[in-house]
Amino acid sequence: MYPLELQKLIETFKKLPGVGNKTAERYALLVLDMEPGEVEDFSNALIEAKTKIHGCSICGNYTNHDLCDICEDSSRDASVICVVSSPRDILSIEKINQFNGRYHVLGGLISTVNNVMPDDLEVDGLLRRIDSQVKEIILAFSPTMEGETTALYLSKKLDPNIVVSGLAQGLPMGGQLEYADEMTLIRSFENRKKV
Amino acid sequence: MYPLELQKLIETFKKLPGVGNKTAERYALLVLDMEPGEVEDFSNALIEAKTKIHGCSICGNYTNHDLCDICEDSSRDASVICVVSSPRDILSIEKINQFNGRYHVLGGLISTVNNVMPDDLEVDGLLRRIDSQVKEIILAFSPTMEGETTALYLSKKLDPNIVVSGLAQGLPMGGQLEYADEMTLIRSFENRKKV
């Protein structure tokens, strides 16, 4: 129904996560309403991001240099490494302003369903980074089957002299106890703290 | 926090309708995960659509030729013109397969709030198209203040010998009577039909 180039643009937008036909249509039609210069900027922004952004050669965080801002920042504590699945987790953690150590991006989590094995992840890179300076490794994974499998695997691989910790599990802030799933409630009992 | 090029791509995605920070971030991060060729295709699709797609010289529908597919299709009934606000309304109407006439895109609706005056719309183009062949004009606007104002304005401008009709108003299919707004309920009483 739509002319070829418009249909193609709609199909392209549908590759974005969570974008169906209707939304892709709205996006494409907005592009047609943009000024030509704006569309050119959009087009260039895609290419620029893809060509200039890559993984930090130490931790795997996104950067346009050799090292990311965090690895270059000498004020960050080198004795704690927070291991995450993807660079976007780094952003979430940086936003809370609670952690001043370094990061390491695994590039995924072990998953038998998606056929992701330890060899597919940046495990060797992590092990190589661990020197006498490192005192603690925080495994900051989502509390899913994949996250727990990966945490278990890494905890066995890591030097037993290093403290290996994981993020606390329990009721989320503002959540209703009656709506918590069983597993969350079980964990919140197991990990109960003295008030 | 994010490197410059990534931040810029996120800002770019935020120009799309209904896209906030979180969604733009997801889109941008997906782009980084795409193959370089895919990103190039994305970038080209934007430019291609913007440069090749324009309004049909008769009706204003999107086309990559001089005339759109509908205006070129001689099997379409030239005696009925369906006037719409934007080309995307044409797609909605084409999907229901009920209308076999021609279209005319106004390029908006009269709106005092948004300062859209009749001169900003393709009214003259519509009046010029009306010849002895045309028997009916269907004003297919959304039942809003703007839609009704535009319909009133056009109905006064059009030749009184031509039938001018508007889309029916009433309860939407599957809608609950108790949740219908007052105006919809009023219209559904006014326009009640013998069963």
PDB file of all heavy atoms in Angstrom, chain B residues 100-118:
ATOM      1  N   ASN B 100     -14.076   2.768  -2.763  1.00  0.00           N
ATOM      2  CA  ASN B 100     -13.373   2.593  -4.032  1.00  0.00           C
ATOM      3  C   ASN B 100     -13.236   3.905  -4.813  1.00  0.00           C
ATOM      4  O   ASN B 100     -13.017   3.910  -6.010  1.00  0.00           O
ATOM      5  CB  ASN B 100     -14.070   1.526  -4.885  1.00  0.00           C
ATOM      6  CG  ASN B 100     -13.200   1.095  -6.038  1.00  0.00           C
ATOM      7  OD1 ASN B 100     -11.981   0.960  -5.864  1.00  0.00           O
ATOM      8  ND2 ASN B 100     -13.793   0.921  -7.217  1.00  0.00           N
ATOM      9  N   GLY B 101     -13.398   5.042  -4.114  1.00  0.00           N
ATOM     10  CA  GLY B 101     -13.285   6.336  -4.788  1.00  0.00           C
ATOM     11  C   GLY B 101     -11.875   6.880  -4.714  1.00  0.00           C
ATOM     12  O   GLY B 101     -10.909   6.130  -4.573  1.00  0.00           O
ATOM     13  N   ARG B 102     -11.781   8.212  -4.833  1.00  0.00           N
ATOM     14  CA  ARG B 102     -10.482   8.887  -4.784  1.00  0.00           C
ATOM     15  C   ARG B 102     -10.335   9.581  -3.442  1.00  0.00           C
ATOM     16  O   ARG B 102     -11.304   9.724  -2.701  1.00  0.00           O
ATOM     17  CB  ARG B 102     -10.426   9.942  -5.900  1.00  0.00           C
ATOM     18  CG  ARG B 102     -10.799   9.414  -7.271  1.00  0.00           C
ATOM     19  CD  ARG B 102      -9.661   8.662  -7.870  1.00  0.00           C
ATOM     20  NE  ARG B 102     -10.041   8.011  -9.115  1.00  0.00           N
ATOM     21  CZ  ARG B 102      -9.243   7.985 -10.180  1.00  0.00           C
ATOM     22  NH1 ARG B 102      -8.067   8.579 -10.149  1.00  0.00           N
ATOM     23  NH2 ARG B 102      -9.624   7.346 -11.266  1.00  0.00           N
ATOM     24  N   TYR B 103      -9.131  10.057  -3.175  1.00  0.00           N
ATOM     25  CA  TYR B 103      -8.884  10.762  -1.909  1.00  0.00           C
ATOM     26  C   TYR B 103      -8.423  12.188  -2.172  1.00  0.00           C
ATOM     27  O   TYR B 103      -7.991  12.526  -3.269  1.00  0.00           O
ATOM     28  CB  TYR B 103      -7.798  10.053  -1.109  1.00  0.00           C
ATOM     29  CG  TYR B 103      -8.234   8.733  -0.547  1.00  0.00           C
ATOM     30  CD1 TYR B 103      -7.955   7.545  -1.224  1.00  0.00           C
ATOM     31  CD2 TYR B 103      -8.924   8.667   0.659  1.00  0.00           C
ATOM     32  CE1 TYR B 103      -8.359   6.327  -0.714  1.00  0.00           C
ATOM     33  CE2 TYR B 103      -9.324   7.447   1.181  1.00  0.00           C
ATOM     34  CZ  TYR B 103      -9.044   6.278   0.488  1.00  0.00           C
ATOM     35  OH  TYR B 103      -9.444   5.082   1.000  1.00  0.00           O
ATOM     36  N   HIS B 104      -8.469  12.977  -1.095  1.00  0.00           N
ATOM     37  CA  HIS B 104      -7.803  14.274  -1.117  1.00  0.00           C
ATOM     38  C   HIS B 104      -7.246  14.557   0.276  1.00  0.00           C
ATOM     39  O   HIS B 104      -7.986  14.522   1.260  1.00  0.00           O
ATOM     40  CB  HIS B 104      -8.749  15.395  -1.546  1.00  0.00           C
ATOM     41  CG  HIS B 104      -8.026  16.680  -1.787  1.00  0.00           C
ATOM     42  ND1 HIS B 104      -7.405  16.962  -2.982  1.00  0.00           N
ATOM     43  CD2 HIS B 104      -7.756  17.721  -0.968  1.00  0.00           C
ATOM     44  CE1 HIS B 104      -6.799  18.139  -2.892  1.00  0.00           C
ATOM     45  NE2 HIS B 104      -6.999  18.618  -1.684  1.00  0.00           N
ATOM     46  N   VAL B 105      -5.956  14.822   0.346  1.00  0.00           N
ATOM     47  CA  VAL B 105      -5.307  15.080   1.632  1.00  0.00           C
ATOM     48  C   VAL B 105      -5.264  16.587   1.881  1.00  0.00           C
ATOM     49  O   VAL B 105      -4.705  17.332   1.078  1.00  0.00           O
ATOM     50  CB  VAL B 105      -3.860  14.527   1.636  1.00  0.00           C
ATOM     51  CG1 VAL B 105      -3.164  14.866   2.948  1.00  0.00           C
ATOM     52  CG2 VAL B 105      -3.859  13.023   1.400  1.00  0.00           C
ATOM     53  N   LEU B 106      -5.849  17.007   3.007  1.00  0.00           N
ATOM     54  CA  LEU B 106      -5.842  18.437   3.335  1.00  0.00           C
ATOM     55  C   LEU B 106      -4.499  18.890   3.918  1.00  0.00           C
ATOM     56  O   LEU B 106      -4.132  20.046   3.841  1.00  0.00           O
ATOM     57  CB  LEU B 106      -6.924  18.755   4.369  1.00  0.00           C
ATOM     58  CG  LEU B 106      -8.365  18.871   3.897  1.00  0.00           C
ATOM     59  CD1 LEU B 106      -9.226  19.321   5.062  1.00  0.00           C
ATOM     60  CD2 LEU B 106      -8.484  19.870   2.741  1.00  0.00           C
ATOM     61  N   GLY B 107      -3.814  17.968   4.552  1.00  0.00           N
ATOM     62  CA  GLY B 107      -2.546  18.330   5.207  1.00  0.00           C
ATOM     63  C   GLY B 107      -2.764  18.949   6.570  1.00  0.00           C
ATOM     64  O   GLY B 107      -1.935  19.716   7.049  1.00  0.00           O
ATOM     65  N   GLY B 108      -3.859  18.584   7.231  1.00  0.00           N
ATOM     66  CA  GLY B 108      -4.140  19.106   8.569  1.00  0.00           C
ATOM     67  C   GLY B 108      -5.613  19.417   8.715  1.00  0.00           C
ATOM     68  O   GLY B 108      -6.422  19.098   7.837  1.00  0.00           O
ATOM     69  N   LEU B 109      -5.973  20.001   9.851  1.00  0.00           N
ATOM     70  CA  LEU B 109      -7.352  20.405  10.114  1.00  0.00           C
ATOM     71  C   LEU B 109      -7.318  21.824  10.667  1.00  0.00           C
ATOM     72  O   LEU B 109      -6.326  22.218  11.301  1.00  0.00           O
ATOM     73  CB  LEU B 109      -7.989  19.464  11.148  1.00  0.00           C
ATOM     74  CG  LEU B 109      -8.195  18.003  10.722  1.00  0.00           C
ATOM     75  CD1 LEU B 109      -8.619  17.161  11.911  1.00  0.00           C
ATOM     76  CD2 LEU B 109      -9.222  17.890   9.597  1.00  0.00           C
ATOM     77  N   ILE B 110      -8.370  22.586  10.428  1.00  0.00           N
ATOM     78  CA  ILE B 110      -8.429  23.955  10.945  1.00  0.00           C
ATOM     79  C   ILE B 110      -8.371  23.902  12.475  1.00  0.00           C
ATOM     80  O   ILE B 110      -9.093  23.127  13.097  1.00  0.00           O
ATOM     81  CB  ILE B 110      -9.737  24.649  10.498  1.00  0.00           C
ATOM     82  CG1 ILE B 110      -9.772  24.737   8.964  1.00  0.00           C
ATOM     83  CG2 ILE B 110      -9.861  26.035  11.120  1.00  0.00           C
ATOM     84  CD1 ILE B 110     -11.117  25.193   8.408  1.00  0.00           C
ATOM     85  N   SER B 111      -7.478  24.672  13.060  1.00  0.00           N
ATOM     86  CA  SER B 111      -7.323  24.639  14.514  1.00  0.00           C
ATOM     87  C   SER B 111      -6.907  26.006  15.017  1.00  0.00           C
ATOM     88  O   SER B 111      -5.841  26.505  14.664  1.00  0.00           O
ATOM     89  CB  SER B 111      -6.262  23.594  14.893  1.00  0.00           C
ATOM     90  OG  SER B 111      -5.836  23.782  16.213  1.00  0.00           O
ATOM     91  N   THR B 112      -7.758  26.599  15.846  1.00  0.00           N
ATOM     92  CA  THR B 112      -7.407  27.910  16.397  1.00  0.00           C
ATOM     93  C   THR B 112      -6.287  27.741  17.433  1.00  0.00           C
ATOM     94  O   THR B 112      -5.426  28.600  17.569  1.00  0.00           O
ATOM     95  CB  THR B 112      -8.630  28.577  17.055  1.00  0.00           C
ATOM     96  OG1 THR B 112      -9.307  27.592  17.828  1.00  0.00           O
ATOM     97  CG2 THR B 112      -9.577  29.115  16.005  1.00  0.00           C
ATOM     98  N   VAL B 113      -6.314  26.612  18.137  1.00  0.00           N
ATOM     99  CA  VAL B 113      -5.288  26.358  19.162  1.00  0.00           C
ATOM    100  C   VAL B 113      -3.896  26.269  18.524  1.00  0.00           C
ATOM    101  O   VAL B 113      -2.936  26.881  18.994  1.00  0.00           O
ATOM    102  CB  VAL B 113      -5.593  25.046  19.926  1.00  0.00           C
ATOM    103  CG1 VAL B 113      -4.517  24.767  20.960  1.00  0.00           C
ATOM    104  CG2 VAL B 113      -6.967  25.118  20.586  1.00  0.00           C
ATOM    105  N   ASN B 114      -3.796  25.498  17.437  1.00  0.00           N
ATOM    106  CA  ASN B 114      -2.495  25.337  16.787  1.00  0.00           C
ATOM    107  C   ASN B 114      -2.271  26.336  15.653  1.00  0.00           C
ATOM    108  O   ASN B 114      -1.315  26.217  14.894  1.00  0.00           O
ATOM    109  CB  ASN B 114      -2.356  23.917  16.231  1.00  0.00           C
ATOM    110  CG  ASN B 114      -2.453  22.880  17.319  1.00  0.00           C
ATOM    111  OD1 ASN B 114      -1.872  23.044  18.387  1.00  0.00           O
ATOM    112  ND2 ASN B 114      -3.220  21.828  17.071  1.00  0.00           N
ATOM    113  N   ASN B 115      -3.195  27.300  15.558  1.00  0.00           N
ATOM    114  CA  ASN B 115      -3.079  28.359  14.561  1.00  0.00           C
ATOM    115  C   ASN B 115      -2.988  27.822  13.128  1.00  0.00           C
ATOM    116  O   ASN B 115      -2.148  28.260  12.343  1.00  0.00           O
ATOM    117  CB  ASN B 115      -1.855  29.236  14.903  1.00  0.00           C
ATOM    118  CG  ASN B 115      -1.993  30.627  14.325  1.00  0.00           C
ATOM    119  OD1 ASN B 115      -3.118  31.069  14.058  1.00  0.00           O
ATOM    120  ND2 ASN B 115      -0.878  31.305  14.110  1.00  0.00           N
ATOM    121  N   VAL B 116      -3.850  26.849  12.824  1.00  0.00           N
ATOM    122  CA  VAL B 116      -3.929  26.334  11.452  1.00  0.00           C
ATOM    123  C   VAL B 116      -5.176  26.935  10.805  1.00  0.00           C
ATOM    124  O   VAL B 116      -6.296  26.695  11.268  1.00  0.00           O
ATOM    125  CB  VAL B 116      -4.013  24.790  11.424  1.00  0.00           C
ATOM    126  CG1 VAL B 116      -4.090  24.287   9.989  1.00  0.00           C
ATOM    127  CG2 VAL B 116      -2.820  24.180  12.139  1.00  0.00           C
ATOM    128  N   MET B 117      -4.982  27.752   9.790  1.00  0.00           N
ATOM    129  CA  MET B 117      -6.080  28.428   9.110  1.00  0.00           C
ATOM    130  C   MET B 117      -6.376  27.723   7.777  1.00  0.00           C
ATOM    131  O   MET B 117      -5.529  26.976   7.281  1.00  0.00           O
ATOM    132  CB  MET B 117      -5.694  29.895   8.843  1.00  0.00           C
ATOM    133  CG  MET B 117      -5.531  30.712  10.105  1.00  0.00           C
ATOM    134  SD  MET B 117      -7.103  30.789  11.020  1.00  0.00           S
ATOM    135  CE  MET B 117      -6.555  30.414  12.679  1.00  0.00           C
ATOM    136  N   PRO B 118      -7.572  27.956   7.209  1.00  0.00           N
ATOM    137  CA  PRO B 118      -7.922  27.294   5.942  1.00  0.00           C
ATOM    138  C   PRO B 118      -6.845  27.482   4.871  1.00  0.00           C
ATOM    139  O   PRO B 118      -6.588  26.564   4.085  1.00  0.00           O
ATOM    140  CB  PRO B 118      -9.227  27.978   5.542  1.00  0.00           C
ATOM    141  CG  PRO B 118      -9.841  28.388   6.841  1.00  0.00           C
ATOM    142  CD  PRO B 118      -8.702  28.757   7.740  1.00  0.00           C
TER     143      PRO B 118
END
